[in-house]
Amino acid sequence: MKRKSLIAVMVLASGLSMSSCKNTTIEDNSIETERNTDTVNLHPEEIVFTNLGTDDDGFEHYSLVSGTENIKDYPKNFSFANTMITPGAFHADELPETIADKEWLGLISDKDNTYKLVALKPTVSKIFDPSHDEVGMTSGIEIVQHNEQNCLLYIEKQSNLKETNVEVANIPSYIYPGEKVQFTFKGKEYTLYATGTRKLNGVNEADFTNSVENGYEMPKYYVKNYTLRMEIKDGDKMSEMMLLSQRYFEEGQVPKVIFGGDINNDDVVDILINTSTEYNVSRPTLYLSDTSNNDVSILPVASHESIGC
């Protein structure tokens, strides 16, 4: 079954180390790496990367000057207490059996690109699943878009989520190893940065430009041993957290930020990232902020994994 995947996704961590780069000669060059973007202001300051050299497969290893890092598989698994689903076509076992019995909130955008979290019941239909069905069978399930509104996700209603307008944070789709992005959102300063290894994937500029114009931005690099972290500065207070840390990614698969904004209305950014490590798997993962203990954390709370054909 062809999967309808979400557009636009990203990742974090607090300690990453490469056990080895295959080159025996290691460069000790401290570098600043940044990308031009029309939607985000980049102000590289404290976080400085070092290029530790290139391995035999052509991957450049970007670490932090500040110290040794240890790769940690994070999240350890993607099974969460909260239930989330996304629009698209799915195998029957990729959706809960009780969709109709649950109360849902949908993250939607209108024609003017205004986002809202609203009470919204998913529209469900049975469809032919070419991977499992014989002629005349309809074991597949499609979650269709609601009217003319674009719905990014449905999450089961819970006490800390209420209907609200959602202010959007402009975050690039990809943050590659050796890159950092800084932006201000609701009075707080954020830095997203990634470490690990990367190699240009050979996509030509015309194809890349076409992908951006059509809303699905192709990645420019292959990545391995990837860790994504976030720092949040609120006045004199600094919080740091890991969002994603994974060793293995199939060629062409890079963590992608789908959405950033204040979904739970607590003045801290929340993020939706496709955390899949395999090209034929989609796994949008929702990270929500928590300020309940006089500290700021952003934690993965829900995901929806599906497999294409």
Side-chain angles (χ1 to χ4, degrees):
M1 177 186 304
K2 185 177 180 182
R3 185 185 71 239
K4 297 180 182 177
S5 58
L6 294 172
I7 63 170
V9 166
M10 257 190 34
V11 265
L12 247 183
S14 75
L16 183 155
S17 91
M18 297 294 299
S19 56
S20 67
C21 271
K22 296 180 183 177
N23 270 8
T24 55
T25 301
I26 297 297
E27 302 174 14
D28 187 18
N29 298 324
S30 298
I31 61 174
E32 295 278 3
T33 327
E34 61 180 272
R35 287 183 294 154
N36 293 326
T37 172
D38 294 331
T39 57
V40 179
N41 293 321
L42 305 179
H43 307 290
E45 293 175 0
E46 302 88 354
I47 298 168
V48 181
F49 298 101
T50 183
N51 186 337
L52 296 179
T54 304
D55 67 19
D56 291 344
D57 295 322
F59 282 80
E60 292 182 293
H61 177 196
Y62 288 89
S63 183
L64 295 177
V65 170
S66 57
T68 304
E69 304 156 358
N70 296 307
I71 270 284
K72 297 179 179 179
D73 291 327
Y74 179 81
K76 290 292 185 184
N77 63 70
F78 290 86
S79 297
F80 303 101
N82 302 298
T83 303
M84 184 181 85
I85 60 176
T86 52
F90 304 99
H91 306 301
D93 59 359
E94 294 170 344
L95 292 166
E97 296 180 358
T98 55
I99 292 177
D101 300 330
K102 297 180 182 293
E103 292 186 82
W104 299 92
L105 293 170
L107 178 61
I108 64 171
S109 64
D110 294 323
K111 290 182 179 179
D112 60 357
N113 212 32
T114 299
Y115 283 82
K116 300 175 183 177
L117 192 67
V118 299
L120 189 63
K121 200 172 190 65
T123 302
V124 180
S125 60
K126 301 285 286 184
I127 59 173
F128 176 75
D129 183 345
S131 296
H132 298 90
D133 292 347
E134 297 179 359
V135 176
M137 297 176 62
T138 54
S139 70
I141 300 175
E142 184 174 20
I143 308 295
V144 299
Q145 295 287 351
H146 192 269
N147 298 325
E148 296 182 359
Q149 297 169 326
N150 176 39
C151 184
L152 286 183
L153 62 85
Y154 298 89
I155 187 163
E156 189 174 4
K157 197 170 184 180
Q158 50 194 275
S159 60
N160 64 330
L161 290 176
K162 303 184 184 302
E163 294 186 69
T164 183
N165 291 329
V166 178
E167 188 170 336
V168 176
N170 292 315
I171 302 171
S173 298
Y174 301 104
I175 299 178
Y176 301 107
E179 293 186 346
K180 59 186 173 184
V181 173
Q182 293 183 309
F183 61 96
T184 300
F185 182 73
K186 290 193 169 183
K188 299 176 179 62
E189 298 176 15
Y190 294 80
T191 303
L192 279 164
Y193 61 102
T195 52
T197 63
R198 74 185 195 190
K199 179 177 74 171
L200 283 169
N201 61 16
V203 62
N204 64 58
E205 194 61 34
D207 287 342
F208 175 76
T209 300
N210 182 66
S211 73
V212 173
E213 291 174 349
N214 285 279
Y216 60 91
E217 189 179 339
M218 300 170 64
K220 288 186 172 182
Y221 291 91
Y222 301 130
V223 301
K224 296 188 299 185
N225 298 302
Y226 181 93
T227 296
L228 183 67
R229 301 177 178 85
M230 176 183 282
E231 283 187 353
I232 305 174
K233 185 178 181 182
D234 185 7
D236 296 330
K237 191 172 184 179
M238 178 76 78
S239 302
E240 181 179 1
M241 60 221 68
M242 179 187 297
L243 296 183
L244 186 69
S245 186
Q246 299 289 327
R247 299 173 188 273
Y248 168 79
F249 291 88
E250 287 189 350
E251 284 195 356
Q253 190 64 30
V254 182
K256 186 176 184 180
V257 177
I258 301 168
F259 177 83
D262 188 6
I263 296 173
N264 58 4
N265 204 25
D266 65 354
D267 295 331
V268 180
V269 75
D270 307 297
I271 300 177
L272 182 67
I273 301 171
N274 186 357
T275 60
S276 172
T277 60
E278 301 174 65
Y279 81 94
N280 202 33
V281 174
S282 175
R283 188 172 61 207
T285 302
L286 180 62
Y287 293 76
L288 291 181
S289 56
D290 183 357
T291 58
S292 58
N293 295 319
N294 295 319
D295 196 7
V296 176
S297 60
I298 298 177
L299 301 170
V301 299
S303 68
H304 181 203
E305 182 170 312
S306 59
I307 301 173
C309 298

